[in-house]
Amino acid sequence: MIVSTIAQGLLWAILGLGIFLTFRILNFPDLTTEGSFPLGGAVCVTAITSGISPLIATFLGVIAGMLAGLITGLLFTKGKIPIILSGILVMSALNSVMLFVMKSPNLSLLNHHKIFNYLDSLNLPPNFDKIFMSLIVVGIVILGIILFLTTHLGQAYIATGDNEDMAKSLGIKTDKMKILGLTISNGIIALSGALIAQSEGYADINKGIGVIVIGLASIILGELLFGELTLFERLLAIVVGSILYQLLILVVIKLKLDTTYLKVYSSAILAVCLMIPQFKLKLFQKKEMF
């Protein structure tokens, strides 16, 4: 179960990396996540069951997520709708989109090839194919994010999140940066959804409920564990945080707590993680007083 949990942690880490681009750089939570994540899985699974190769199907899932992020970005920047509401509008609309795509609330991949089957020739032990494939994808995503953020375009994107007024004064088109960030972020999130759908063997329109909590928990746990880090180290910390979060959920299951309330436990873990920095700050201030 530990090997399986690590594999799941790596797959969910991709979600955390996607959320990082908006939550930590642009400094706002994007609720499109809860729609683009299952959308990636829905499009991918539908494509595979239609006879398309798993690799291309996964790519189509990413494109679908990017389009969802693009729409949110346009509503936010051009429509002047608050980002939270923009995300909710797109998230709600995507439920109907997924029903249209799958023709049912869920769709199985039973007896169909998945992207992990490309590693069958290696004869790996159970779940190690998922770990190996996840490591490859996580590595590609981290490398892609670093390469993007170190370009002039990426620096303009970071400047938009750091100080939008200053970025505008430097001639940076901040609206375009926000649209770009939301598009890339939701593409990565949809990639996670597509891979997890293949890992679990099915897609479901309700799969996105609460996933933003999982992604945020990965980010917060990583930051709590390692503190101030370079960009590369921070991205790795998200991966470690995601695995740790899945292990915490495994502990909850092993304690034989009612898994019906797993979302409550997830939210409680995140709430505690978010409060720890405040407790540390207050403790530090009290020590200074003495």
Side-chain angles (χ1 to χ4, degrees):
M1 286 188 71
I2 291 176
V3 173
S4 175
T5 301
I6 292 172
Q8 285 297 307
L10 287 168
L11 291 172
W12 285 103
I14 301 168
L15 169 72
L17 293 169
I19 293 176
F20 171 80
L21 288 174
T22 51
F23 182 69
R24 274 293 175 247
I25 297 182
L26 291 181
N27 299 314
F28 58 68
D30 174 27
L31 290 180
T32 315
T33 299
E34 302 207 353
S36 59
F37 178 84
L39 176 66
V43 171
C44 177
V45 170
T46 302
I48 290 174
T49 55
S50 299
I52 297 173
S53 73
L55 189 61
I56 296 174
T58 302
F59 179 71
L60 291 175
V62 173
I63 296 298
M66 293 179 75
L67 289 173
L70 175 62
I71 294 169
T72 299
L74 291 172
L75 289 174
F76 176 42
T77 58
K78 307 304 179 185
K80 303 303 178 185
I81 300 173
I83 184 60
I84 298 292
L85 185 55
S86 296
I88 291 172
L89 288 172
V90 174
M91 175 185 69
S92 300
L94 289 178
N95 276 297
S96 296
V97 172
M98 286 183 282
L99 279 173
F100 174 78
V101 169
M102 295 195 296
K103 310 300 182 186
S104 65
N106 48 64
L107 189 61
S108 174
L109 275 175
L110 186 65
N111 299 323
H112 287 88
H113 275 277
K114 309 172 187 69
I115 197 167
F116 307 105
N117 292 126
Y118 289 129
L119 302 178
D120 285 349
S121 59
L122 298 178
N123 295 317
L124 296 170
N127 292 308
F128 275 86
D129 56 340
K130 295 178 183 177
I131 290 178
F132 195 73
M133 181 63 74
S134 301
L135 285 171
I136 293 172
V137 177
V138 166
I140 292 171
V141 171
I142 288 177
L143 180 62
I145 290 173
I146 291 173
L147 289 176
F148 165 64
L149 294 179
T150 51
T151 62
H152 289 299
L153 185 63
Q155 290 299 302
Y157 176 67
I158 292 172
T160 299
D162 284 343
N163 190 322
E164 187 174 348
D165 292 332
M166 182 191 73
K168 285 180 179 177
S169 69
L170 294 172
I172 297 171
K173 295 180 179 179
T174 55
D175 281 356
K176 288 186 177 180
M177 293 299 104
K178 292 174 185 175
I179 293 172
L180 178 65
L182 285 163
T183 302
I184 295 174
S185 169
N186 281 284
I188 295 172
I189 290 164
L191 171 61
S192 176
L195 292 173
I196 288 173
Q198 292 178 75
S199 172
E200 296 182 348
Y202 72 98
D204 192 298
I205 63 170
N206 296 315
K207 190 66 181 175
I209 298 173
V211 295
I212 193 169
V213 172
I214 299 172
L216 291 175
S218 304
I219 297 170
I220 303 301
L221 278 172
E223 291 174 348
L224 285 176
L225 284 172
F226 302 105
E228 293 296 323
L229 301 168
T230 64
L231 174 61
F232 175 66
E233 291 169 342
R234 177 171 285 195
L235 296 176
L236 283 182
I238 292 172
V239 177
V240 175
S242 177
I243 294 172
L244 179 59
Y245 176 79
Q246 293 300 321
L247 289 172
L248 288 173
I249 296 300
L250 178 61
V251 170
V252 169
I253 294 170
K254 283 293 185 181
L255 289 173
K256 296 184 179 178
L257 298 175
D258 192 345
T259 53
T260 305
Y261 307 110
L262 199 57
K263 299 290 184 184
V264 176
Y265 308 141
S266 301
S267 299
I269 290 170
L270 179 58
V272 170
C273 292
L274 287 169
M275 289 188 290
I276 287 174
Q278 296 301 319
F279 290 144
K280 284 183 176 180
L281 180 62
K282 289 181 179 180
L283 185 63
F284 181 73
Q285 289 172 343
K286 285 181 179 180
K287 286 182 178 179
E288 280 191 331
M289 289 175 66
F290 292 106

